[in-house]
């Protein structure tokens, strides 16, 4: 398959040329699927919505991996997680090994969630962030108002399927058109995270709104499906960087002033299997870009390293490992360490359990004496929520489809779903939007 | 050993706090080694030099790996290269395997150098860049003039030892003090490259100028040794970024205008063994920072990937591999590719042979039809040479010793030479400069 085809279909706009754009003539006007006529048509806003703006309403869909809100949801969460070859590539044995590993790990992981209060706070934070962002957007972007917040998790409730059905119930799609923005809540793009969420979103879009995949759709329903665009990466957005800097500064201020600039900052991101890195996944480089931007904004006062956490299983993962790094430094006498979760924006098991209860506990056992600390996750940070609103505003104002970078498959990608998904999203608003359906 | 000790000795300057600074009182006044008195003393500039400025002369030493200037030098070059555990970690078998591998590879590599004109142009370019930069510095920094250009290669002539002896012959050190700047010509720091060069520089400094290592030194000679400072990394210097952007733009302009923004840019850096990456080497993240900065400056118009070249031997190296990436994309139909050497600044065997003669040749055999091209290396770029001068000027004006980041060992580092070297350079200009000698 050619990765060149979608690239050749890029629209051009000199001023905001880093992104693909919705064609100007159908800007905010979802296309109707008319394979014979191949024409664009104006679509009325969803009927059941209170459309305050001429181009609204707009669904703002926060995509993330999610986490079990209660310990009862751990089993289902893990079984979805280990079934996802985009995240944990187990090859031909995925269907056999995935359930095996998830079943074996469930009791242990249940205990971990119990120890952080009985569940992950990621749903609470995501719903809060999306709702707060939409309030700001309603003010800054009245044309596309009202902005309706949705959350779609990859492995926990609310799942993508649930979110998509809610969209349809709320009056989007099924003949009524309407616009939705898939807003990845992973600042840095990985095929394992944002890519997997987009593959899932594309799958449910096809199942629920594609006439070739869902013969129950009426002709009218098949026509006015939802027009999607994607905010796929934002690793160095100034507001994101500022939000990190605020939280890092806050924790640095807990150290005595005379050693504050000497505290070593360890930016910790979820690791990737080397098979994914070597396939050409853009994530390690984008995480490094975030780290560099944050260090620049901090004034490069503190020495630092980018380290990688949460490796699991026997295969090779990208290092250096966060836990080993902390142990080594503490043993070398470098005890003043600040851990900064740099690739997730809300608290989750990897911060609340792995860093707070495992890594920092082990450091204290080695004599760190409370000098290894963690910067707060962004969670409800107003600076962060303003950054999200600014990102969304820029996206809506510019009529973006997605970034140029999103159109490029990894050099070692063999996943045809990725190609079809990319073609689908990149062609949103164009005549041949449904081309991907026939692949 | 504690990595904290040198960190606790950092001087503080709010305005340029990202770097360690020469103590203000001995700024540009090399210390005399007086273990009993532990005092600083003013040192006269080297006697044999024409010191135009009150603080000059200043030796500007360009450090790089180097390459054989003629095919006759290939054997020696390879034997030094494979003997260097900092670059190619072969463990306890280094002394046995190194010579074996280098002898076996020599005939093949000789042919490669023959095919690029009989030798590496890196000496020519380094000498030119250093000389041109010094001319600019003589204008912008008359206080520290004259600025004298030197080149120290790690594996080829002029070797560090040769450079150091030239410094001594030219009137630096041996009782005459004087100041030298070790200017790494690797924009991004790796322990395998800049770290190895600094270890080598430190070794020869100890052998030639340390009274505890060189009993032939007279008391006077032992006192006024050279005062060293280090420009250790500069991955996103705006002038460097601009120089890359100029050369990328030039090659993009060779493509038809309608596809120019769709050409995929492949930033190619020399890879690292995963053992080095997993030890916590800062290089992958700093290379990614360069790539991100260049893409931002280019306006993020083109899709891109950061890829890694020149993997050798059976152990695991960081990917995706440049050669595989090009093959995969061409086979997928994405033939318009620009390769950008992003971690070396001058042409060398990895650009002139590996990219130009191997990778691009293979692409054409797969039907790339001349559409895979390479951005010129920075070589004699005036923008690049101005960037070097700007970096050096900032360093000299601020009285920097080195970056804060240089003081932090890799979390998995077991190399005590690294610790001693870091302590030596970070303590330059301080009373306990010679502390490292006793390690």
């Amino acid at each position: 398959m050619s990765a060149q085809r979608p690239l050749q279909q890029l629209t051009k706009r000199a001023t905001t040329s880093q992104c693909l754009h919705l064609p100007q003539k159908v800007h905010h006007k979802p296309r109707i699927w008319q394979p014979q006529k191949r024409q664009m048509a104006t679509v009325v806003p969803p009927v059941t919505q209170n459309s305050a703006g001429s181009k609204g309403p707009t669904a703002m869909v926060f995509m993330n991996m999610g986490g079990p809100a209660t310990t009862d949801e751990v089993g289902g969460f893990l079984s979805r997680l280990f079934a996802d070859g985009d995240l944990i590539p187990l090859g031909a044995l995925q269907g056999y090994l995935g359930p095996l590993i998830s079943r074996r790990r469930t009791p242990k992981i249940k205990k971990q969630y119990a120890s952080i209060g009985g569940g992950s706070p990621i749903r609470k934070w995501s719903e809060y962030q999306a709702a707060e962002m939409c309030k700001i957007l309603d003010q800054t972007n009245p044309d596309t108002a009202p902005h309706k917040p949705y959350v779609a998790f990859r492995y926990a409730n609310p799942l993508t399927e649930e979110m998509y059905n809610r969209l349809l119930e709320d009056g989007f799609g099924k003949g009524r058109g309407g616009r939705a923005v898939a807003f990845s809540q992973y600042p840095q793009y990985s095929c394992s995270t944002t890519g997997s969420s987009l593959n899932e979103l594309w799958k449910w879009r096809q199942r629920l709104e594609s006439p070739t995949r869902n013969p129950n759709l009426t002709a009218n329903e098949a026509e006015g499906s939802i027009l999607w665009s994607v905010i796929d990466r934002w690793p160095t957005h100034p507001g994101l960087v500022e939000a990190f800097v605020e939280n890092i500064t806050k924790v640095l201020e807990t150290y005595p002033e005379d050693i504050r600039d000497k505290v070593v900052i360890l930016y910790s991101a979820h690791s990737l299997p080397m098979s994914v890195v070597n396939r050409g996944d853009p994530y390690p480089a984008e995480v490094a870009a975030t780290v560099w931007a944050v260090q620049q904004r901090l004034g490069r006062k503190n020495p630092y390293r980018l380290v990688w956490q949460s490796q699991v299983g026997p295969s090779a993962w990208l290092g250096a490992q966060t836990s080993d790094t902390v142990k080594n430094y503490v043993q070398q006498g470098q005890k003043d360490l600040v851990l900064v979760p740099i690739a997730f924006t809300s608290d989750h098991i990897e911060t609340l359990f792995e860093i707070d209860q495992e890594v920092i506990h082990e450091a204290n056992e080695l004599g760190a004496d409370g000098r290894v600390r963690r910067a707060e996750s962004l969670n409800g940070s107003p600076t962060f929520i303003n950054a999200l609103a600014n990102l969304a505003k820029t996206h809506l104002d510019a009529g973006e489809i997605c970034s140029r970078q999103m159109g490029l498959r990894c050099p070692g990608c063999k996943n045809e779903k990725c190609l079809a998904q990319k073609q689908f999203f990149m062609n949103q608003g164009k005549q041949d939007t449904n081309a991907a359906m026939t692949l």
Side-chain angles (χ1 to χ4, degrees), chain A residues 361-372:
Chain A
H361 176 75
E362 281 168 19
N364 286 332
E365 286 199 329
L366 292 171
D369 204 20
R371 288 155 63 186
V372 179

Side-chain angles (χ1 to χ4, degrees), chain A residues 105-350:
Chain A
R105 288 180 62 88
T106 295
K108 182 180 153 194
I109 306 293
K110 265 189 170 179
K111 278 187 199 155
Q112 295 183 2
Y113 277 101
S115 80
I116 64 165
S120 167
I122 195 168
R123 179 168 188 165
K124 178 190 83 179
W125 285 124
S126 300
E127 288 175 346
Y128 174 77
Q129 291 155 352
E132 291 299 305
M133 182 197 73
C134 284
K135 284 183 202 164
I136 300 172
L137 285 177
D138 284 349
Q139 301 297 316
T140 58
N141 289 51
D143 263 16
T144 44
H147 302 86
K148 304 269 198 173
Y150 295 84
V151 169
F153 285 151
R154 183 66 186 86
Y155 313 110
N157 297 317
L159 292 165
T160 307
E161 176 184 10
E162 183 186 333
M163 176 279 300
Y164 216 116
N165 278 314
R166 257 196 63 211
L167 274 183
L168 299 178
E169 285 162 22
D170 287 354
F172 290 87
K174 282 205 173 175
R176 298 160 303 189
R179 173 155 188 209
V181 177
F183 192 165
S184 173
Q185 291 301 301
Y186 305 99
Q188 306 92 1
Y189 188 101
S190 170
C191 298
S192 314
T193 57
T194 302
S196 173
S197 282
L198 287 172
N199 285 346
E200 187 75 1
L201 177 63
W202 172 74
K203 182 181 87 178
W204 284 106
R205 190 275 179 196
Q206 300 304 80
R207 286 191 186 174
L208 297 171
E209 291 210 281
S210 160
T212 51
R213 295 287 295 278
N214 186 345
N216 297 327
L217 289 175
T218 65
N220 182 48
E221 283 173 342
E223 282 174 356
S225 58
I226 298 169
L227 179 75
W228 284 95
S229 65
V230 188
I231 303 177
D232 51 276
R233 72 199 71 205
W234 33 289
T236 60
H237 183 275
L240 173 75
V241 170
E242 193 60 35
F244 278 127
V245 165
E246 281 178 8
N247 287 5
I248 294 167
T249 304
K250 241 183 263 171
V251 66
L252 285 175
E253 280 169 358
T254 66
Y255 291 83
E257 204 177 339
D258 60 326
I259 63 155
R260 199 166 291 162
D261 289 355
K262 298 157 201 165
V263 173
V264 172
I265 303 178
L266 297 176
Y267 296 95
S268 184
H270 202 295
S271 184
L272 279 188
M274 283 309 297
S275 58
V276 177
V277 174
N278 290 336
R279 195 172 63 200
D281 194 277
Y283 173 82
E286 293 190 11
V287 174
T290 307
V291 169
W292 188 263
V294 171
Q295 274 293 125
Q296 295 287 107
R297 181 65 192 74
L298 276 170
R300 290 183 287 156
K301 285 197 292 278
N302 296 74
Y304 75 98
R305 276 293 191 284
L306 166 55
V307 290
W308 307 90
Q309 70 177 84
S310 317
Q311 289 86 346
V312 63
S315 67
W317 288 66
L318 183 61
Q321 282 201 21
T322 304
S323 54
D324 289 350
T325 298
V326 171
K327 267 184 246 168
N328 286 338
Y329 278 144
V330 170
Q331 283 171 337
Q332 286 172 17
Q334 176 60 54
K335 296 179 183 179
D336 299 307
L337 302 173
V338 160
L339 288 150
V340 181
I342 198 72
F344 276 107
T345 55
S346 297
D347 269 323
H348 55 309
I349 197 82
E350 285 86 354

Side-chain angles (χ1 to χ4, degrees), chain A residues 53-76:
Chain A
S54 62
K55 293 171 188 163
T58 310
M60 303 299 300
V61 182
F62 274 28
M63 300 189 311
N64 212 333
M65 68 182 303
T70 66
T71 51
D72 288 345
E73 292 180 22
V74 170

